[in-house]
Amino acid sequence: LSSTSVMINPRFLRARLGGSINPLMMRTHRHSPSCTKKMFVMALVTTSTMVSLRSHTAHSFSPPSNPPLKNSSHSTKLSMSTSTTANTHPLKSIATHLDNSWLAQLRNDGTNNDPSQNTKQRPVRSGHYVLVKPNPLRNPRLIVHSRDMAAKLLLSESDVNSEEFARFFSGDVNAVEEGFIPTWATPYALSIMGNRYTSNCPYGTGDGYGDGRAMSIGEMLVPTKTNTNNENDDSATTPAASERYELQLKGAGPTPFCRGADGRAVLRSSIREFLASEAMHHLGISTTRALSLVVSENSPGGSPRNTSKRPWYSESNKEQKIPSMNDPRLMLYPKEKRIQIIEAMKTQKRDPDTMIEEPNAITTRVASSFVRIGHLDLFARRATSFLGGKDLDQYEKGTSSWEELEEMIWHAAYREFRTEAYDPYRATNDIASAG
């Protein structure tokens, strides 16, 4: 990992991989392929990695309870607190460059417009998103962030180390006082190896698939032009002159798509995701980025940290018992067969056999867009539902299902292929040429 890309505080990860190992310093040399490779390997094996949480400059505290969200799902700007000037507020860049195209171009499901109530499993039969509200972590502490990704979002080191940053990226979206950011989760379809699935949907219809514990908290349109010092120059923030970044919290609580789970992520798996995301990026593999990782801590004399129970391995399950060549159970087989059996047992998958309580954490993922093939497939299925499952290229145009599919196609073109498919054909609504 580049020394300019990841800052972790404290500096060391201690991996519990069946024995103690020397701490691995996260800051490696920028031009050291061997260090980068080692960190990528580390990212893949950090299933049991834990991070020591001490001496970070970010604040640890209990966020206040949030007031109900306003009835304005397309709000794209934050107002800055009167107690803090816009020039000094650590979340100024987010407030200034917020531009939620998903909310502006697509449809709310409309079933429940109160985000605080969209925390229970229910079928979502229409619309491209559901308004949701993150459930903030108690006593959040920032333990690692990507310096490179923060810089792309125009966030300085002092911004990142602020109390507001820790609050905001632990799910307290009202970290900017008097501000408001609508947050959302999206439905999509499920296909495995080209086969469309609905069997493990709670309703058997596919109306339960979607972002079960991921919530988008905003899109930022960050100007790439550097030749203007005029903050009122609108040309600097047009899509053509900007990079779009969508910010998504993973583990911020349940959504209507959670299918009975708690919507949380634990520190162990969150470390793995953070490291793997940034390692793959710096190896030149296109993927989502990781901006920050915030964990819930115990507050001395105050509220306890958020935790979840997750399956893990008991002490008796950690040591795999491999029979010897002379094991009586294998003596009925010839030598070659015994060797095959023993080698197969060495690589045999072991399942967790106990439940442990682990601290909750939230990883902030960043990508130019989180549009999936499943988003398009969901609305294509609905627009062809009148065919009764027959695999025919026919659509019932003029219906709300067709309109939602058409809107989803145009939005995918806008986000992923703007110059090739959106700009040349959107004005004339030539969706066939755009495709």
Side-chain angles (χ1 to χ4, degrees):
L1 289 178
S2 164
S3 62
T4 61
S5 65
V6 172
M7 289 292 294
I8 188 165
N9 199 335
R11 294 182 178 180
F12 303 107
L13 288 177
R14 296 186 181 275
R16 298 181 294 130
L17 303 175
S20 61
I21 62 173
N22 291 330
L24 178 63
M25 183 176 286
M26 286 293 297
R27 285 183 144 190
T28 60
H29 195 274
R30 183 184 183 94
H31 302 295
S32 172
S34 62
C35 288
T36 302
K37 186 177 292 185
K38 287 177 183 177
M39 286 312 304
F40 181 63
V41 172
M42 185 66 178
L44 299 181
V45 299
T46 48
T47 301
S48 60
T49 302
M50 301 300 289
V51 172
S52 171
L53 303 174
R54 61 178 185 270
S55 73
H56 197 280
T57 55
H59 297 267
S60 176
F61 65 101
S62 298
S65 57
N66 295 333
L69 292 175
K70 300 174 184 177
N71 187 21
S72 175
S73 63
H74 290 181
S75 175
T76 59
K77 297 293 181 183
L78 291 176
S79 61
M80 309 308 295
S81 168
T82 55
S83 61
T84 309
T85 65
N87 291 330
T88 60
H89 199 288
L91 301 182
K92 178 193 173 186
S93 68
I94 297 175
T96 303
H97 300 103
L98 204 66
D99 185 83
N100 294 336
S101 65
W102 192 285
L103 303 187
Q105 297 182 12
L106 299 175
R107 303 186 188 191
N108 182 3
D109 83 308
T111 302
N112 192 338
N113 288 320
D114 182 354
S116 64
Q117 299 301 311
N118 278 326
T119 58
K120 296 181 180 180
Q121 173 183 309
R122 66 173 174 85
V124 178
R125 298 187 175 92
S126 64
H128 304 95
Y129 65 90
V130 174
L131 290 173
V132 292
K133 184 179 181 182
N135 185 11
L137 295 177
R138 290 192 293 268
N139 313 316
R141 180 179 290 276
L142 174 69
I143 57 173
V144 61
H145 74 279
S146 167
R147 179 183 285 178
D148 175 63
M149 191 66 249
K152 291 181 183 298
L153 301 178
L154 307 182
L155 293 166
S156 68
E157 284 297 292
S158 61
D159 294 337
V160 171
N161 288 326
S162 68
E163 176 182 299
E164 289 84 356
F165 185 95
R167 286 176 55 191
F168 186 76
F169 291 105
S170 66
D172 183 5
V173 292
N174 289 324
V176 178
E177 297 177 14
E178 301 178 10
F180 165 71
I181 293 184
T183 54
W184 66 96
T186 65
Y188 44 78
L190 174 65
S191 292
I192 301 176
M193 299 181 68
N195 297 313
R196 289 175 166 176
Y197 275 76
T198 58
S199 57
N200 60 343
C201 168
Y203 318 105
T205 59
D207 295 327
Y209 295 135
D211 296 323
R213 59 176 180 172
M215 301 183 188
S216 292
I217 58 172
E219 299 170 33
M220 290 179 64
L221 200 59
V222 181
T224 55
K225 290 175 61 176
T226 59
N227 60 349
T228 179
N229 295 318
N230 184 1
E231 293 185 356
N232 297 320
D233 183 1
D234 292 336
S235 66
T237 54
T238 61
S242 304
E243 292 287 342
R244 183 176 295 275
Y245 299 101
E246 185 170 341
L247 311 179
Q248 191 177 83
L249 302 182
K250 184 172 182 180
T255 75
F257 311 105
C258 66
R259 291 187 279 169
D262 63 3
R264 288 301 194 186
V266 296
L267 179 60
R268 169 177 47 85
S269 58
S270 298
I271 293 171
R272 182 178 64 231
E273 175 160 0
F274 185 98
L275 289 177
S277 296
E278 288 302 284
M280 290 175 69
H281 169 76
H282 287 281
L283 286 170
I285 303 170
S286 180
T287 183
T288 57
R289 299 290 304 275
L291 170 64
S292 62
L293 174 57
V294 180
V295 70
S296 178
E297 285 191 317
N298 287 320
S299 174
S303 57
R305 66 187 182 184
N306 298 97
T307 61
S308 294
K309 289 189 175 181
R310 293 290 186 264
W312 198 237
Y313 302 88
S314 65
E315 291 298 323
S316 60
N317 194 19
K318 288 181 180 179
E319 296 296 331
Q320 193 171 12
K321 298 177 180 178
I322 305 296
S324 67
M325 287 288 289
N326 297 322
D327 191 294
R329 295 169 295 178
L330 300 181
M331 295 308 294
L332 296 176
Y333 301 99
K335 180 179 179 180
E336 293 77 10
K337 185 65 175 178
R338 279 181 277 166
I339 293 175
Q340 291 179 3
I341 293 173
I342 291 173
E343 291 302 314
M345 291 185 69
K346 289 179 180 178
T347 59
Q348 187 176 19
K349 177 180 178 291
R350 288 176 296 147
D351 293 322
D353 60 344
T354 189
M355 299 292 288
I356 62 173
E357 195 165 358
E358 302 186 66
N360 289 151
I362 292 178
T363 305
T364 300
R365 304 189 293 191
V366 183
S368 58
S369 110
F370 287 97
V371 175
R372 302 167 179 252
I373 295 294
H375 285 123
L376 296 166
D377 189 27
L378 174 65
F379 297 103
R381 294 188 198 189
R382 291 175 177 174
T384 58
S385 60
F386 73 99
L387 295 173
K390 296 179 182 178
D391 190 15
L392 299 175
D393 188 18
Q394 298 179 25
Y395 295 91
E396 194 172 13
K397 298 184 178 181
T399 64
S400 60
S401 296
W402 164 255
E403 290 174 355
E404 289 183 345
L405 171 61
E406 190 175 35
E407 290 164 355
M408 190 68 245
I409 292 172
W410 281 121
H411 187 70
Y414 179 82
R415 297 289 290 273
E416 304 288 346
F417 309 101
R418 185 180 177 93
T419 58
E420 301 90 347
Y422 187 86
D423 289 342
Y425 306 111
R426 185 65 181 100
T428 59
N429 202 34
D430 187 357
I431 198 168
S433 298

